[in-house]
Amino acid sequence: NHASLPDDPFRPVHQLDYATSGVLLLAKNKRSAGMACRSFMNRKTCKQYLAVVTNSHRIRENADANDDAAGYDSKFILVPPMGKEFIEKLPILPSSALAQWENGALERTYRKKRQRETETRETKKGTFNGYMPVHSVFAKWRGVLLKKRKEMKDESFAASAPGDGNLSTVEPGPDRQREQPVKKMEWKKKNDDNAIKDELPPLPEPKQAVTTNEIDELLSLGPSWKSVKNSKNADKWVSIIAAMAKEYNELLEKFYTAKHKKEDKVDSIDGVSEGISTLPPLFRIHGDDSGESSGNDNEISNNLDSFYICASIGEPDDGSFCVVVDPAAKKTCNTISNGDTSSTLAASIDFKPSLTKCTILWRGYSYSKNGKRFPVAKVMLHPRTGRRHQLRIHLSEICGFPILGDVAYGGDNKEWESSDGNGSSNGALVDEKGKSCDRMCLHARQLSIPLMNDVVKTFIAPDPFLIQQIGDVEESLLII
């Protein structure tokens, strides 16, 4: 375990893809690492990414004379991605549509769903989540026996005290301590009256008769189940405790089944079912374009286009590097595909609900090393969940606008080949290496996380995607 190495001064508390630049948080000690990891696990962090996206394919339109003069093929025109026509087609939902994501209900229900699936697998093996093996039942029974023996001694000790039976009249002295067990027992009774309904069922009594001397003998063996199995009365004890374990697990199974039904009823009232979101893959939220910034003052806008990407993500069991999105989400999106996900494969994948907010900061063009320009858009991304490759596959497979330089999910933008066979670039705008960028244009711009005493700390990495002025009118994106 990397975090437990005694000579390691730094402990990573989260991950970035190898090709992603930006903020990477490291802890200096184990305590700090634990706090940061809990913040990530409980979804208390706020992450902000910058990305440069491009078109997944060339757009066929009628070009004007200026494009011909510039050397571009007349059949194709370079259109920046995520244009107004893309935004205007998205459905607009009320802000209440995100309630399940904001209060964490969807994530909790998904985790319960995974727990149910684990229980189903364990049930086939004769166990369930919460099942207690024989040695655990022995430990529980031993604790009950020790508690009973102590209470019997306390009661016997209190009954032998002088006076009229009311310990409050006992004169100060060594015997004054006898008042404590009575107070403790009264507190326990009061606490039992207010006990929660989800308390585990009590341990059943043994079917075979057990004498006090035999109980003393069992307790003298210590807490080790191994010592019980090696004792002279091992056959008797194993038989008694195994029968208790069988009966107790039947009670536990009924208890957890009833508890799950109660939780499912609450989830159905809240409108959450099996951890599945009913949102469309692409949508906007009414009144959400309130103006955001990537961190640079000159990029603040009062009319930015924001939209959301909602598509569950899963990792194939075959060890593939690329993750896949839920086929149900891809059916409604006319986008490129990183390989088809068969129904058989999809059935075996655990698709995790995933949500990303995308804000378009700038649309325009950038230039490759050989001077060819290509269409790009600079976007700011807020992942509401932290799934592996979430931002990359959401942009590529759901939006249809892959991140520039993303080899795994880049689609056709990795190498736009000529359609006329004459070697002309046709607006593909790739450099001499057959690609338009030397890096994947995804950058972890900002991380806000509660750490010591729940004080929120914000870490910011410089923006590597800069807008530069070319001439008096045109702007271009400079990628560092």
Side-chain angles (χ1 to χ4, degrees):
N1 189 341
H2 178 84
S4 63
L5 295 178
D7 58 343
D8 188 1
F10 300 108
R11 294 169 169 81
V13 296
H14 68 125
Q15 298 179 2
L16 291 179
D17 291 341
Y18 179 78
T20 303
S21 60
V23 176
L24 180 63
L25 186 61
L26 303 175
K28 292 184 177 180
N29 54 62
K30 195 170 184 177
R31 181 187 177 194
S32 299
M35 290 183 176
C37 288
R38 283 190 292 273
S39 295
F40 277 101
M41 182 178 65
N42 296 329
R43 303 275 190 256
K44 293 183 178 180
T45 62
C46 180
K47 293 173 283 187
Q48 181 187 108
Y49 289 77
L50 295 176
V52 178
V53 300
T54 186
N55 293 317
S56 60
H57 54 279
R58 293 167 292 176
I59 299 179
R60 186 183 295 273
E61 291 184 4
N62 292 325
D64 56 24
N66 293 330
D67 289 322
D68 291 333
Y72 303 131
D73 190 286
S74 60
K75 297 180 181 179
F76 299 96
I77 184 173
L78 304 178
V79 179
M82 295 186 179
K84 290 292 184 181
E85 66 283 354
F86 168 78
I87 298 295
E88 292 172 355
K89 291 180 180 179
L90 302 182
I92 301 177
L93 306 180
S95 58
S96 58
L98 295 177
Q100 297 174 2
W101 295 89
E102 299 291 349
N103 60 21
L106 192 68
E107 182 70 15
R108 290 193 300 270
T109 307
Y110 162 72
R111 293 180 180 181
K112 291 177 185 176
K113 175 177 176 288
R114 290 192 63 185
Q115 181 178 343
R116 302 289 196 281
E117 294 172 349
T118 302
E119 292 171 359
T120 301
R121 291 193 298 268
E122 291 179 348
T123 301
K124 294 179 181 179
K125 302 177 183 178
T127 62
F128 55 89
N129 188 27
Y131 174 87
M132 293 187 68
V134 177
H135 64 271
S136 297
V137 174
F138 160 69
K140 188 177 182 67
W141 188 38
R142 186 175 186 274
V144 172
L145 294 176
L146 288 172
K147 186 176 181 180
K148 286 184 177 179
R149 188 167 70 171
K150 183 177 185 303
E151 290 176 350
M152 291 175 62
K153 289 183 177 180
D154 291 340
E155 292 174 358
S156 176
F157 189 49
S160 64
D164 59 359
N166 185 354
L167 292 182
S168 61
T169 62
V170 177
E171 296 296 328
D175 289 339
R176 186 64 173 173
Q177 61 181 344
R178 298 169 187 165
E179 187 176 350
Q180 297 176 0
V182 178
K183 287 186 176 181
K184 183 176 181 182
M185 292 175 66
E186 290 175 352
W187 174 89
K188 180 180 182 299
K189 182 178 180 181
K190 181 179 178 181
N191 188 58
D192 288 342
D193 293 338
N194 299 323
I196 59 174
K197 295 181 180 180
D198 288 340
E199 187 178 358
L200 291 175
L203 195 66
E205 294 293 333
K207 298 299 183 183
Q208 301 181 31
V210 181
T211 64
T212 305
N213 293 334
E214 288 176 330
I215 290 178
D216 292 338
E217 175 192 346
L218 177 64
L219 296 177
S220 66
L221 296 175
S224 173
W225 175 241
K226 184 176 180 181
S227 62
V228 175
K229 293 193 297 182
N230 293 332
S231 65
K232 61 180 181 179
N233 291 327
D235 293 340
K236 179 178 180 178
W237 293 126
V238 171
S239 175
I240 291 175
I241 299 174
M244 292 176 63
K246 182 179 179 180
E247 183 179 357
Y248 189 52
N249 281 305
E250 291 174 354
L251 296 174
L252 289 176
E253 188 172 11
K254 293 178 181 179
F255 166 78
Y256 285 117
T257 300
K259 182 179 179 182
H260 294 162
K261 288 182 179 179
K262 180 180 177 181
E263 292 173 348
D264 293 340
K265 184 178 180 180
V266 173
D267 291 337
S268 63
I269 294 175
D270 293 338
V272 184
S273 176
E274 291 299 320
I276 299 175
S277 174
T278 57
L279 298 175
L282 293 169
F283 62 94
R284 301 176 68 190
I285 292 295
H286 179 71
D288 202 31
D289 297 330
S290 57
E292 297 187 52
S293 171
S294 67
N296 294 339
D297 293 338
N298 61 347
E299 289 182 3
I300 298 177
S301 172
N302 293 322
N303 190 26
L304 297 177
D305 293 322
S306 296
F307 63 95
Y308 290 80
I309 312 167
C310 181
S312 298
I313 298 173
E315 300 183 24
D317 296 333
D318 58 3
S320 302
F321 174 76
C322 295
V323 299
V324 295
V325 294
D326 188 353
K330 292 175 62 175
K331 286 181 181 178
T332 58
C333 301
N334 185 20
T335 61
I336 66 169
S337 175
N338 186 41
D340 295 331
T341 305
S342 65
S343 57
T344 303
L345 179 60
S348 63
I349 295 177
D350 176 26
F351 287 104
K352 304 176 181 180
S354 308
L355 180 68
T356 301
K357 181 181 179 181
C358 179
T359 301
I360 303 171
L361 301 176
W362 181 84
R363 301 180 183 92
Y365 301 90
S366 185
Y367 287 83
S368 62
K369 290 182 178 180
N370 59 0
K372 297 290 186 178
R373 74 170 187 170
F374 54 93
V376 293
K378 181 178 179 180
V379 298
M380 180 169 57
L381 304 169
H382 291 276
R384 298 296 180 90
T385 50
R387 315 303 184 195
R388 177 171 173 259
H389 294 181
Q390 173 179 323
L391 303 179
R392 299 165 64 180
I393 198 168
H394 270 183
L395 290 171
S396 176
E397 300 246 359
I398 303 301
C399 293
F401 302 109
I403 295 176
L404 186 65
D406 189 351
V407 178
Y409 302 97
D412 295 335
N413 84 84
K414 291 183 293 184
E415 187 174 357
W416 288 342
E417 297 180 355
S418 170
S419 60
D420 56 14
N422 296 326
S424 174
S425 67
N426 283 345
L429 306 181
V430 295
D431 61 16
E432 64 276 7
K433 297 181 181 179
K435 58 182 180 179
S436 53
C437 187
D438 289 332
R439 60 159 291 177
M440 183 176 74
C441 296
L442 179 61
H443 179 73
R445 166 67 174 170
Q446 181 174 304
L447 172 64
S448 298
I449 179 173
L451 295 174
M452 295 290 187
N453 300 322
D454 287 333
V455 176
V456 177
K457 297 289 186 180
T458 300
F459 306 91
I460 300 176
D463 184 355
F465 312 129
L466 307 178
I467 310 301
Q468 60 180 356
Q469 193 75 26
I470 300 179
D472 296 332
V473 179
E474 185 178 1
E475 290 181 336
S476 176
L477 183 69
L478 175 63
I479 300 172
I480 301 177

